[in-house]
Amino acid sequence: MKNTLLTFGLMLCTVALLAQVSAKEKQALLDLFVATNGENWTHSWDTNTPVSDWQGIIVENNKVVSISLLFNNMEGTIPASLGDLEALTVLEMSFNKLSGKLPASLGNLSNLEILAFNGNNLKGSIPESFENLKNLKQLHLSSNKLSGTIPNTLGDLDNLEVFNVFDNNLVGDIPSGLANHRSLRELMVAENNLVSTANFSAVLLSNSGAKIDVNKPVLTPGAKTVIATETSDDEN
């Protein structure tokens, strides 16, 4: 009986150990906690408990696959080590008080499908490394203080459905690749200082991938023209 209990106890310990994320991934989350004043979050973490029990964290197959911490009173900068979470599919930190730049290391998250930092105080440019986010479906960067140009390569992200950079300080042209995009349903670029916005006034009439000639503007609105078009999933 004792041997049976001992064996059972060892099995439970083994399962518990196997259920933990790697030290590298846990450290990335701890870096986030420290860098964004985690003790004062609206929903803080008890870092002495398993990572899978932390608010807003989803773990599958011993990998962190989702971080959702919107409206959480996060104040500080985004640590570069978040780029170590290689299985991450969702990174949602909208409506906080995040500042500083978007780390180029986020471009390492090749499985990412949703990247959202709406309503923060982020500055600097959109990293060129985002061209590596081949599985990205939604990019939400509205209402920050981002500057510089939109990388042309973002128009080459084949799975992109939502492109939202509304209300920043971006300049230059909108990537022409977005005009021919077959997956894009929402394009929100108003309240920036972008040029040639007229070329995109009819881009998203449907999600069928209809192309337009970006050299022949349909309208000639000002640089702050509202471009926020959506198509219904029920349309053909």
Side-chain angles (χ1 to χ4, degrees):
M1 182 65 177
K2 289 183 178 179
N3 289 337
T4 301
L5 291 174
L6 179 59
T7 300
F8 182 68
L10 289 173
M11 289 175 62
L12 288 178
C13 289
T14 301
V15 170
L17 288 172
L18 291 175
Q20 299 299 315
V21 302
S22 69
K24 187 177 184 179
E25 291 206 353
K26 183 174 182 179
Q27 186 59 55
L29 295 177
L30 291 173
D31 290 346
L32 176 65
F33 185 82
V34 172
T36 59
N37 202 17
E39 292 183 355
N40 290 322
W41 289 356
T42 302
H43 302 288
S44 191
W45 292 341
D46 180 352
T47 56
N48 294 314
T49 61
V51 169
S52 57
D53 292 338
W54 295 2
Q55 177 71 29
I57 302 299
I58 296 178
V59 176
E60 294 179 358
N61 299 320
N62 306 325
K63 296 284 188 180
V64 178
V65 297
S66 178
I67 300 175
S68 184
L69 296 169
L70 68 171
F71 291 108
N72 201 40
N73 196 40
M74 303 175 76
E75 187 170 4
T77 58
I78 305 167
S81 54
L82 286 187
D84 294 333
L85 302 174
E86 60 184 25
L88 202 64
T89 60
V90 176
L91 180 55
E92 168 62 275
M93 296 184 191
S94 295
F95 308 110
N96 284 291
K97 303 174 185 177
L98 298 173
S99 56
K101 297 182 177 181
L102 288 164
S105 61
L106 295 182
N108 297 334
L109 303 175
S110 59
N111 291 298
L112 202 63
E113 296 181 3
I114 299 175
L115 176 61
F117 288 103
N118 292 330
N120 282 283
N121 297 305
L122 297 171
K123 298 182 179 180
S125 59
I126 300 174
E128 294 281 350
S129 62
F130 281 13
E131 68 179 333
N132 299 319
L133 303 178
K134 301 301 184 183
N135 290 300
L136 195 66
K137 295 180 179 179
Q138 299 185 26
L139 178 63
H140 296 276
L141 299 174
S142 68
S143 298
N144 281 283
K145 299 175 182 177
L146 298 172
S147 58
T149 59
I150 300 174
N152 284 327
T153 50
L154 294 189
D156 299 328
L157 298 179
D158 292 339
N159 295 303
L160 197 62
E161 298 175 356
V162 178
F163 184 83
N164 178 13
V165 294
F166 175 84
D167 186 23
N168 279 283
N169 299 311
L170 298 168
V171 298
D173 294 316
I174 304 170
S176 59
L178 294 176
N180 303 318
H181 209 289
R182 298 194 62 85
S183 300
L184 202 64
R185 295 186 294 107
E186 297 179 25
L187 174 67
M188 288 162 278
V189 296
E191 298 303 319
N192 283 284
N193 294 299
L194 298 166
V195 297
S196 301
T197 57
N199 295 336
F200 292 81
S201 60
V203 171
L204 303 177
L205 294 177
S206 71
N207 58 5
S208 63
K211 298 182 180 181
I212 63 171
D213 186 346
V214 296
N215 295 313
K216 296 180 180 179
V218 178
L219 302 172
T220 55
K224 299 254 182 185
T225 298
V226 174
I227 300 180
T229 310
E230 181 175 356
T231 59
S232 171
D233 291 335
D234 295 331
E235 293 180 356
N236 292 322

